[in-house]
């Protein structure tokens, strides 16, 4: 069964083709990072506008490149929430129109459930395409040449190596089986979830304030490193001493359970930056590396200590770390080291950590029986409980 997935919940316009929930045929991601960078964060109105301009051409191109038309696809899947509602609406309304016109079932998917499923999808490196969308003088999105198929930055000036994740495409080396513990670490979410099956989830805990990715983005902003901050903080941390500065590890007592809190860490970073002086940090690479490495180590430590507690209490022996922050090399290395002999740790390839439609098309395969036809009452939702998405008439 071939499913065409659509994802537009934030600042990536993405289209993917996945067979039987597992085999990735194509994953096309048009990233808007360069558009939002100068504003230091995602501008919802610009994101929606760029999705409108990019989505249909991306779908056409993805199908054509694979010698397919909509008639060859068995179903459409779309992220229905949570996310920026204007951005989600572009995907949802486009998917409804296409499913109606082509007489195909339409399967709505929860964005975080998609992230949790992302390690289950894999494909050859030439299945991945990464494009960077820019704004022209009128603030409308313009098309740029795609990066090389393997996700490495091309020579085009629009595809900045600094903004792309190195080693974007890299296959997982171990199979994941249900049930497993999922640690979601993205720009909008930090949570620990028992993933019992593709349709059953038990949320153990979430962040009470900022998400892990948001914390990285905020430090990057304080240091004027750019946006999105995670990869830039990681790069700046390179060679730094992770013990140089003491950052708090909030909500670590047992009674806090599985809740995370990253706003205290952000405040501590702000105080540290003020105490050191931002100009001095900018001119002293070693100092900046120590600061970023210490901050990164605090985030990683909090995430992995909570995950360790959850593994112990649930008895699960598999941990999937998903979402944009799962690209982070320090998190990957530390998780592998801490859980050696305790649990199998699985990360999706970096191209499937950040937002993508492959995880949506993959998970939709398991939700197909819930959505036999195309329901035109489907709506985008900014917030949505974790689980299979129900249509309004169900
Ligand atoms: O999953 P994602 O693409 O979007 C959301 O659903 O939020 O995650 C984006 C987040 C951003 O906050 C970004 O800074 C962070 O993931 N991120 C990283 C890295 N790459 C992306 N954080 C730390 N280290 C990285 N290498
Ligand atoms: Zn996401």
């Amino acid at each position: 069964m071939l499913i065409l997935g659509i994802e537009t919940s934030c600042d990536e316009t993405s289209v993917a083709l996945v067979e039987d929930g597992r085999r990735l045929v194509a994953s096309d991601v048009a990233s808007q990072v360069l558009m939002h960078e100068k504003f230091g964060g995602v501008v919802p109105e610009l994101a929606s506008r760029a999705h409108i301009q990019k989505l249909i051409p991306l779908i056409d191109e993805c199908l054509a490149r694979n010698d397919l038309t909509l008639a060859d696809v068995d179903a459409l899947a779309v992220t229905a929430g949570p996310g920026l509602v204007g951005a989600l609406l572009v995907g949802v309304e486009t998917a409804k129109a296409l499913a109606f016109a082509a007489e195909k079932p339409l399967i709505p998917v929860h964005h975080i459930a998609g992230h949790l499923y992302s390690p289950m999808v894999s494909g050859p490196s030439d299945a991945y395409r990464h494009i960077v969308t820019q704004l022209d003088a009128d603030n409308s999105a313009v098309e740029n040449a795609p990066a090389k198929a393997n996700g490495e930055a091309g020579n085009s000036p629009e595809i900045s190596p600094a903004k792309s994740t190195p080693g974007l495409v890299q296959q997982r080396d171990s199979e994941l089986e249900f049930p497993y513990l999922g640690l979601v670490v993205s720009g909008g979410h930090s949570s620990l979830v028992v993933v019992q099956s593709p349709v059953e989830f038990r949320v153990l805990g979430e962040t009470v304030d900022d998400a892990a990715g948001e914390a990285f983005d905020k430090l990057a902003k304080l240091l004027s490193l750019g946006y999105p901050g995670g990869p830039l903080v990681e790069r700046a941390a390179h060679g730094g001493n992770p013990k140089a500065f003491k950052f708090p590890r909030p909500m670590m007592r047992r009674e806090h359970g599985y809740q995370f809190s990253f706003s205290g860490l952000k405040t501590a970073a702000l105080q540290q930056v003020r105490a050191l002086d931002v100009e001095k940090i900018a001119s002293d690479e070693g100092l900046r590396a120590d600061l970023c490495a210490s901050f990164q180590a605090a985030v990683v430590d909090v995430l992995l200590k909570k995950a360790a507690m959850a593994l112990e209490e649930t008895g699960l022996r598999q941990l999937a770390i998903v979402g944009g922050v799962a690209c982070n090399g320090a998190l990957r290395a530390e998780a592998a080291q801490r859980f050696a002999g305790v649990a199998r740790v699985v990360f999706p390839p970096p191209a499937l950590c950040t937002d993508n439609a492959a995880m949506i098309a993959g998970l939709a395969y398991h939700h197909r029986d819930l959505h036999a036809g195309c329901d035109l009452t489907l709506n985008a939702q900014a917030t949505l409980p974790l689980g299979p998405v129900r249509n309004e008439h169900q």
Side-chain angles (χ1 to χ4, degrees), residues 75-241:
L76 281 97
V78 66
T79 305
L84 300 171
V85 79
L88 286 163
L89 267 171
V90 178
V92 167
E93 295 306 318
T94 304
K96 272 158 64 174
L98 293 179
F100 180 71
E103 298 182 19
K104 304 286 177 183
L106 174 61
I107 308 166
V109 175
H110 190 289
H111 181 76
I112 300 303
H115 272 301
L116 285 163
Y117 186 81
S118 58
M120 296 285 186
V121 178
S122 65
S125 60
D126 63 0
Y128 298 87
R129 260 174 102 245
H130 194 258
I131 305 158
V132 178
T133 306
Q134 274 265 34
L135 280 180
D136 65 13
D138 306 327
N139 269 5
S140 56
V142 293
E143 176 120 1
N144 291 314
K148 288 177 192 159
N150 64 3
E152 284 166 16
N155 294 328
S156 153
E158 298 86 5
I159 299 160
S160 157
K163 309 299 179 298
S164 71
T165 309
L168 201 65
V169 178
Q170 182 186 100
Q171 294 310 304
R172 67 175 193 275
D173 52 10
S174 56
E175 290 295 322
L176 186 65
E177 282 157 24
F178 295 99
Y180 56 89
L181 180 70
L183 173 61
V184 184
V185 277
S186 73
H189 300 265
S190 303
S191 48
L192 270 166
V193 181
V194 177
V195 187
Q196 279 139 338
S197 77
V199 292
E200 294 163 288
F201 306 85
R202 185 159 61 90
V203 180
L204 299 178
E206 317 183 74
T207 181
V208 295
D209 40 56
D210 294 349
E214 229 173 325
F216 275 105
D217 294 340
K218 283 178 179 165
L219 177 63
K221 205 167 184 175
L222 281 176
L223 300 179
S224 304
L225 295 179
Y227 174 85
L232 301 168
V233 171
E234 178 176 8
R235 180 176 299 189
H238 193 72
N241 174 8

Side-chain angles (χ1 to χ4, degrees), residues 279-304:
E279 298 293 323
K280 181 162 163 38
I281 302 170
S283 62
D284 185 338
E285 218 172 285
L287 181 65
R288 192 171 63 224
D290 285 349
L291 185 71
C292 290
S294 302
F295 181 88
Q296 180 172 260
V299 176
V300 168
D301 190 35
V302 169
L303 293 173
L304 297 184

